[in-house]
Amino acid sequence: MTKKVLMTLLEQKKYKSIHEVLSVYNPVDLAELLETLDAQNLAVVFRMIEKEKAAEVFAYMDNDQRQQLIDIFSMEETAELLDAMSADDAVDFLEDMPANVVTHLLEHIDWDTRSAINRLLQYPEDSAGSMMTVEFIELHRNMTVRQALDLIRKIGIDSETVYTCYVVERHKLEGIVTAKDLMIHDDTVTIAQLMTDQFICVHTTDDQEFVANQFRKYGLIAIPVVDSEGCIVGIVTFDDAIDVLTEETTEDMHKMAAMTSANEESYLKTSVFRHAKNRIVWLMILMFSATITGTIITRYEEAFATIPLLVSFIPMLMDTGGNCGSQSSTLIIRGLAVGELRFSDTLKIVWKEFRVAMLVSIALAAANGVRIFIMYHSAQMAIVIAASLILTVVVAKMVGCLLPIAAKKCRLDPAIMASPLITTIVDTCSIVIYFRIATIIFAL
Amino acid sequence: MTKKVLMTLLEQKKYKSIHEVLSVYNPVDLAELLETLDAQNLAVVFRMIEKEKAAEVFAYMDNDQRQQLIDIFSMEETAELLDAMSADDAVDFLEDMPANVVTHLLEHIDWDTRSAINRLLQYPEDSAGSMMTVEFIELHRNMTVRQALDLIRKIGIDSETVYTCYVVERHKLEGIVTAKDLMIHDDTVTIAQLMTDQFICVHTTDDQEFVANQFRKYGLIAIPVVDSEGCIVGIVTFDDAIDVLTEETTEDMHKMAAMTSANEESYLKTSVFRHAKNRIVWLMILMFSATITGTIITRYEEAFATIPLLVSFIPMLMDTGGNCGSQSSTLIIRGLAVGELRFSDTLKIVWKEFRVAMLVSIALAAANGVRIFIMYHSAQMAIVIAASLILTVVVAKMVGCLLPIAAKKCRLDPAIMASPLITTIVDTCSIVIYFRIATIIFAL
């Protein structure tokens, strides 16, 4: 159903047809369709979706639209919606609301839901605790397959949360049983016979990126989250892990391009002012840092007054240095993010980058040296450029690989040590190297 | 178990203990442990792992180590291993082997496995067909829950592949049933009553990035793959989708930093020569492109001979232009990759970037103009820099947002239109803008 069809049906008040069409829609697609509507129509259509599905659709909608709905809805209506949502989705929504609205809303909802939400709200943002859901299947060793299946039937929560069941004794997580095991074994087999005590789990305070990387590494559907005493408090499912991986990668990429991205809104939905705000800080810092390079150049005024050709190689040297530095920093930042590189690899990395820098710089120096010799018939100029290139590339690669590692060690995000910052640092180095060598070779 | 413990046990020939310890290990961790061994020990330990698990461990090992094992193994041993692997893992492995070895190996394995592998090998790399597994649960409308569960018990494939079952009539995919539905319904309920015909599916020829984005969007455990006639030929599971998302993102990041990354090996395992090869091509291209900017500078030799101070602002202008361009291109490249931006959004994007560019450039121009006026007491110089900054930033942001979109439209990877290439293009523009404005204002 397109927006046009929906609007026509709305005008003709064909509510029954709309309701029927909406009921076959996937919640994700429904949220996408609703995005195109204005606040009033949004509320009208949203109220036509059946309660369970509406809660799911709400979870997929963006903040602006949720706000529009909440403004129209009564407190009771909103509370009812929150009740129908899974606790982790409700928390995601509440985290973006003003504190007084949250308090007010929580007063209107079920005690059960409220306490679950309150508990989740306590965990630091971006921790395993804040991304987990508190709905999971808790089994005991002495239960039979039949009893386990009956329990699942009774609780009947989201399907991705029932495919791994957790064997718990006095709140302590003792093992896991997969839904597949329950499906293929006889009713009388006990959980103790089926369970395995070899499982991956995370702690409530673990960073969400670490949690997501565990999913990536082990290909799991869900991971149990335990507290400091080994008691299970929730589970994280793979779909939330995929969201975190996407978010974290986008955040890294934005940081690597000198942008702060505080919100999770999409490009088109972010306002021009917010876009400008996200970009201006680093641009200012980098612009003023780049004037250092400029100041250094003025020290060599005499050099390029004598040999004006020297100036024309500045862009090539600066760009090549910057590119070499970004290559190294990108490899290291990504390696650290996916957990492939560690601080203990520093020496290996430096040695590898040094050798790569030698190979690459000699190739670049040779190609450019020959070009300059042919074009300007100046062996001296060819030597100056070749030598500057080799030194610049080596410095660039060293700076490029070491800064992200150093940032990680200082508990900063390695992603800020990317192309823009590296380029500015390498620029200064390359200009100093270049004019030093030129001064020596041309005896200026 | 650390490498040291394992080596000691090996020396003492305590094979039984090793076998027992290995049997509780997770296949992923086991592959990681084996990575530290040399070829001979690797083969010894690998042979101690039980067959089913060994096949899984093999799938997680990297190419070099697999090659080492294959070199030691007899053809029959390798074939047996391939037989135990899931078809898609086997194909992943075979795709990296020389063609004659593949032919030879395929002759030694079961007809069933062979035909499955052969079929998968026909699909283009990076297509849904090549990432799918051919093992899935096929049900019929008139089956009961009991019959479905019996079938699952009999076939007993990997757990992530049984959680969605596919209702098929004459090979055509008619609907899906979740394992949860089978678990919570009575034995006598028919599949026709439980199935839904509202499902997401992909085509064999769909790009793997598109497939992975469907998982991201809908949060599914598995997606069925159909051929041009709507017949189901396989399924893709979420764990493979996570791998593809990681791979594609890493590839994008490498391309965005001017590197070609042909292989999927990790940073540390890639040889120095291969690293250099991946980096040198773009560095050469960009280095020679940057000389264009240099050539343009030489045209204004007189200008900076008269006012040497002009040279000192070159790095600041070039860097700021480059940074602004990378910000825009990164936002657009990422937006296109996650499917958030489309070609049809071009006008909206350009208008948004233009307004952001105006805001950002005016702020930068004001800050730098004031600084220059105070430092050099030259209103003319302040105006030249401010005007150049504004124009450069606008051009940079336009180039930065348009080139990735244009690349996408021309079926090129938008990721190559990133920081390094944009910087080189913007450099030339900024130098032309700068010296043009300077020539006019200073009446040179």
Side-chain angles (χ1 to χ4, degrees):
Chain A
M1 188 157 61
T2 58
K3 187 195 170 186
K4 219 173 142 188
V5 177
L6 182 61
M7 294 305 290
T8 318
L9 288 173
L10 271 177
E11 272 164 37
Q12 298 173 349
K13 299 194 195 297
K14 301 245 163 104
Y15 298 135
K16 189 149 180 281
S17 312
I18 296 178
H19 175 80
E20 271 165 12
V21 177
L22 293 182
S23 73
V24 295
Y25 250 80
N26 178 301
V28 180
D29 295 326
L30 210 44
E32 220 169 56
L33 177 67
L34 293 183
E35 259 179 33
T36 59
L37 303 179
D38 59 40
Q40 281 308 323
N41 283 323
L42 175 64
V44 173
V45 177
F46 190 82
R47 283 182 175 128
M48 277 188 257
I49 309 169
E50 50 143 340
K51 207 176 120 190
E52 280 281 297
K53 198 178 203 166
E56 241 186 295
V57 173
F58 191 76
Y60 285 116
M61 284 165 56
D62 64 61
N63 277 335
D64 289 358
Q65 287 211 296
R66 289 167 173 178
Q67 192 63 57
Q68 287 174 0
L69 277 183
I70 299 302
D71 291 345
I72 293 173
F73 282 2
S74 69
M75 200 51 97
E76 286 70 30
E77 213 172 349
T78 310
E80 208 179 315
L81 187 67
L82 276 176
D83 255 340
M85 283 167 82
S86 68
D88 57 333
D89 285 340
V91 168
D92 276 350
F93 162 64
L94 290 174
E95 274 175 345
D96 295 318
M97 301 287 288
N100 58 330
V101 179
V102 175
T103 321
H104 208 58
L105 269 172
L106 286 179
E107 282 168 16
H108 284 78
I109 61 177
D110 273 3
W111 189 86
D112 270 4
T113 319
R114 189 165 68 229
S115 67
I117 290 175
N118 266 328
R119 229 178 318 137
L120 289 180
L121 281 172
Q122 280 167 22
Y123 296 108
E125 233 189 301
D126 300 346
S127 71
S130 79
M131 74 187 288
M132 74 187 183
T133 170
V134 290
E135 289 152 330
F136 56 91
I137 304 289
E138 202 177 307
L139 305 178
H140 300 282
R141 289 176 159 277
N142 48 2
M143 278 171 126
T144 62
V145 167
R146 179 79 269 157
Q147 285 171 317
L149 289 174
D150 285 342
L151 186 74
I152 292 172
R153 203 165 298 164
K154 211 176 97 193
I155 300 184
I157 43 180
D158 281 355
S159 54
E160 69 263 27
T161 54
V162 307
Y163 290 149
T164 316
C165 302
Y166 304 90
V167 187
V168 174
E169 229 54 63
R170 289 205 196 108
H171 300 299
K172 287 234 165 32
L173 179 60
E174 304 223 307
I176 58 168
V177 174
T178 66
K180 191 197 158 199
D181 281 331
L182 296 177
M183 287 163 78
I184 65 173
H185 284 96
D186 284 335
D187 283 356
T188 51
V189 177
T190 65
I191 297 304
Q193 289 171 281
L194 294 181
M195 68 178 254
T196 166
D197 55 1
Q198 299 297 317
F199 55 86
I200 310 292
C201 71
V202 294
H203 288 89
T204 46
T205 50
D206 281 340
D207 189 80
Q208 61 173 3
E209 194 171 9
F210 170 78
V211 179
N213 274 333
Q214 295 296 96
F215 277 92
R216 170 145 59 195
K217 186 171 176 187
Y218 296 102
L220 302 163
I221 289 182
I223 292 185
V225 183
V226 298
D227 63 15
S228 51
E229 275 137 36
C231 299
I232 181 167
V233 288
I235 62 169
V236 176
T237 51
F238 74 96
D239 49 334
D240 292 327
I242 293 182
D243 288 347
V244 166
L245 287 175
T246 307
E247 247 172 59
E248 291 277 343
T249 311
T250 302
E251 211 185 290
D252 273 4
M253 282 188 170
H254 289 180
K255 277 196 192 142
M256 287 166 82
M259 289 177 283
T260 47
S261 66
N263 62 344
E264 297 158 14
E265 294 288 307
S266 73
Y267 173 84
L268 289 175
K269 274 176 206 143
T270 306
S271 73
V272 171
F273 271 98
R274 170 143 305 274
H275 268 301
K277 208 181 133 204
N278 288 344
R279 304 186 203 181
I280 192 75
V281 183
W282 271 108
L283 286 179
M284 270 304 173
I285 296 173
L286 294 168
M287 182 178 78
F288 285 116
S289 311
T291 58
I292 299 171
T293 316
T295 314
I296 293 171
I297 292 184
T298 55
R299 279 207 235 140
Y300 295 96
E301 257 175 40
E302 277 174 46
F304 57 83
T306 321
I307 312 169
L309 189 62
L310 280 176
V311 177
S312 77
F313 297 112
I314 291 179
M316 183 276 293
L317 265 178
M318 275 175 47
D319 281 353
T320 305
N323 290 334
C324 286
S326 337
Q327 288 180 334
S328 304
S329 68
T330 302
L331 283 168
I332 307 307
I333 291 169
R334 184 65 180 158
L336 290 169
V338 299
E340 190 187 286
L341 295 177
R342 294 200 192 100
F343 184 74
S344 53
D345 297 320
T346 309
L347 276 181
K348 274 190 241 169
I349 293 171
V350 171
W351 176 225
K352 183 154 257 171
E353 283 303 304
F354 179 76
R355 286 173 296 163
V356 174
M358 287 313 295
L359 279 180
V360 165
S361 63
I362 289 169
L364 293 175
N368 221 340
V370 169
R371 181 189 74 96
I372 288 164
F373 185 73
I374 293 171
M375 280 179 71
Y376 305 98
H377 308 289
S378 160
Q380 275 175 314
M381 189 55 97
I383 290 168
V384 168
I385 296 299
S388 304
L389 265 174
I390 293 178
L391 269 174
T392 300
V393 170
V394 172
V395 169
K397 294 240 169 253
M398 290 300 107
V399 171
C401 75
L402 282 171
L403 282 191
I405 302 177
K408 178 89 178 179
K409 190 69 185 169
C410 304
R411 289 163 179 277
L412 289 168
D413 190 335
I416 55 168
M417 300 300 182
S419 184
L421 195 61
I422 302 276
T423 301
T424 308
I425 296 170
V426 170
D427 276 358
T428 311
C429 301
S430 63
I431 292 295
V432 173
I433 291 169
Y434 178 44
F435 280 108
R436 280 264 160 149
I437 294 178
T439 316
I440 297 167
I441 306 260
F442 288 110
L444 292 166
Chain B
M1 187 155 61
T2 59
K3 187 195 170 186
K4 218 173 141 188
V5 178
L6 182 60
M7 294 305 290
T8 318
L9 289 174
L10 271 176
E11 273 164 35
Q12 299 172 350
K13 298 193 195 299
K14 301 244 164 103
Y15 299 134
K16 191 151 177 281
S17 311
I18 296 178
H19 175 80
E20 271 164 15
V21 177
L22 293 181
S23 72
V24 295
Y25 250 80
N26 178 301
V28 179
D29 295 326
L30 211 44
E32 220 170 57
L33 177 67
L34 293 183
E35 260 179 32
T36 58
L37 303 180
D38 61 40
Q40 282 308 324
N41 283 323
L42 175 65
V44 173
V45 177
F46 190 83
R47 282 181 175 129
M48 276 188 255
I49 309 169
E50 50 143 341
K51 206 177 122 191
E52 280 281 297
K53 198 177 201 165
E56 242 187 292
V57 173
F58 192 75
Y60 285 115
M61 283 165 57
D62 65 62
N63 276 335
D64 288 358
Q65 287 211 298
R66 289 167 174 179
Q67 192 62 58
Q68 287 175 359
L69 277 182
I70 299 303
D71 291 346
I72 294 173
F73 282 2
S74 69
M75 200 50 99
E76 286 70 28
E77 213 171 351
T78 309
E80 206 179 317
L81 187 64
L82 276 176
D83 255 340
M85 282 166 84
S86 68
D88 57 332
D89 284 340
V91 168
D92 276 351
F93 163 64
L94 290 174
E95 274 175 346
D96 296 317
M97 302 287 289
N100 58 332
V101 179
V102 175
T103 322
H104 208 59
L105 269 172
L106 286 179
E107 280 168 16
H108 283 78
I109 62 178
D110 272 4
W111 189 88
D112 270 4
T113 319
R114 188 165 69 230
S115 67
I117 289 175
N118 267 328
R119 229 179 319 136
L120 288 180
L121 280 172
Q122 280 166 22
Y123 296 108
E125 231 189 304
D126 300 345
S127 71
S130 80
M131 74 188 286
M132 74 188 183
T133 169
V134 290
E135 290 151 330
F136 56 90
I137 304 289
E138 203 176 306
L139 305 179
H140 300 284
R141 288 175 159 277
N142 49 1
M143 277 171 129
T144 62
V145 167
R146 179 80 269 155
Q147 285 171 317
L149 289 174
D150 284 343
L151 186 73
I152 292 173
R153 204 166 297 166
K154 209 175 99 194
I155 299 183
I157 43 180
D158 281 354
S159 55
E160 68 265 24
T161 54
V162 307
Y163 291 149
T164 315
C165 303
Y166 302 91
V167 187
V168 174
E169 229 54 63
R170 288 204 198 107
H171 298 299
K172 286 233 168 28
L173 179 60
E174 304 224 306
I176 59 168
V177 174
T178 66
K180 191 198 158 199
D181 281 330
L182 296 178
M183 287 163 80
I184 66 172
H185 283 96
D186 284 337
D187 282 357
T188 51
V189 177
T190 66
I191 297 304
Q193 290 171 279
L194 293 181
M195 68 179 255
T196 168
D197 55 1
Q198 299 298 319
F199 55 85
I200 310 292
C201 71
V202 293
H203 289 88
T204 46
T205 50
D206 281 339
D207 188 79
Q208 63 172 4
E209 194 170 10
F210 171 78
V211 180
N213 274 332
Q214 295 297 95
F215 277 92
R216 170 144 59 192
K217 187 171 174 187
Y218 295 103
L220 302 163
I221 289 182
I223 292 185
V225 184
V226 298
D227 64 14
S228 52
E229 276 138 35
C231 298
I232 181 167
V233 288
I235 64 170
V236 176
T237 50
F238 75 96
D239 49 332
D240 292 327
I242 292 182
D243 288 347
V244 166
L245 286 175
T246 307
E247 247 173 56
E248 292 276 342
T249 309
T250 302
E251 211 185 290
D252 273 4
M253 282 190 171
H254 289 181
K255 277 195 193 145
M256 288 167 81
M259 290 178 283
T260 48
S261 65
N263 62 345
E264 297 158 13
E265 293 289 307
S266 74
Y267 173 84
L268 289 175
K269 274 178 205 141
T270 307
S271 72
V272 171
F273 272 99
R274 167 139 313 269
H275 268 300
K277 207 179 133 206
N278 288 346
R279 304 187 203 181
I280 192 74
V281 183
W282 271 107
L283 285 179
M284 271 303 176
I285 297 172
L286 294 168
M287 182 178 77
F288 284 117
S289 312
T291 60
I292 299 171
T293 316
T295 314
I296 293 169
I297 292 184
T298 56
R299 279 209 237 141
Y300 296 96
E301 256 176 40
E302 276 174 46
F304 58 80
T306 321
I307 312 169
L309 188 62
L310 280 176
V311 177
S312 78
F313 297 111
I314 291 178
M316 184 274 293
L317 266 178
M318 277 176 45
D319 281 352
T320 305
N323 290 335
C324 286
S326 340
Q327 288 181 333
S328 303
S329 68
T330 302
L331 283 168
I332 306 307
I333 291 168
R334 183 65 181 159
L336 290 169
V338 299
E340 189 186 287
L341 295 177
R342 297 202 188 97
F343 185 74
S344 54
D345 297 319
T346 308
L347 277 182
K348 273 191 243 171
I349 294 171
V350 170
W351 176 225
K352 183 154 257 173
E353 284 303 303
F354 179 76
R355 285 175 297 164
V356 174
M358 288 313 295
L359 278 180
V360 165
S361 63
I362 289 170
L364 292 175
N368 222 340
V370 169
R371 181 189 74 95
I372 288 164
F373 185 72
I374 293 171
M375 281 179 70
Y376 304 99
H377 309 289
S378 160
Q380 277 175 312
M381 190 54 99
I383 291 169
V384 169
I385 296 301
S388 305
L389 265 175
I390 293 178
L391 270 173
T392 300
V393 170
V394 172
V395 169
K397 293 243 170 246
M398 291 299 107
V399 171
C401 74
L402 283 170
L403 282 189
I405 302 177
K408 178 88 178 179
K409 190 69 185 170
C410 305
R411 288 164 180 277
L412 289 168
D413 191 334
I416 54 168
M417 300 300 181
S419 186
L421 195 60
I422 303 274
T423 300
T424 310
I425 296 169
V426 170
D427 276 358
T428 311
C429 301
S430 62
I431 292 295
V432 172
I433 291 168
Y434 178 45
F435 280 108
R436 280 266 160 148
I437 294 178
T439 316
I440 296 166
I441 306 258
F442 288 109
L444 293 166

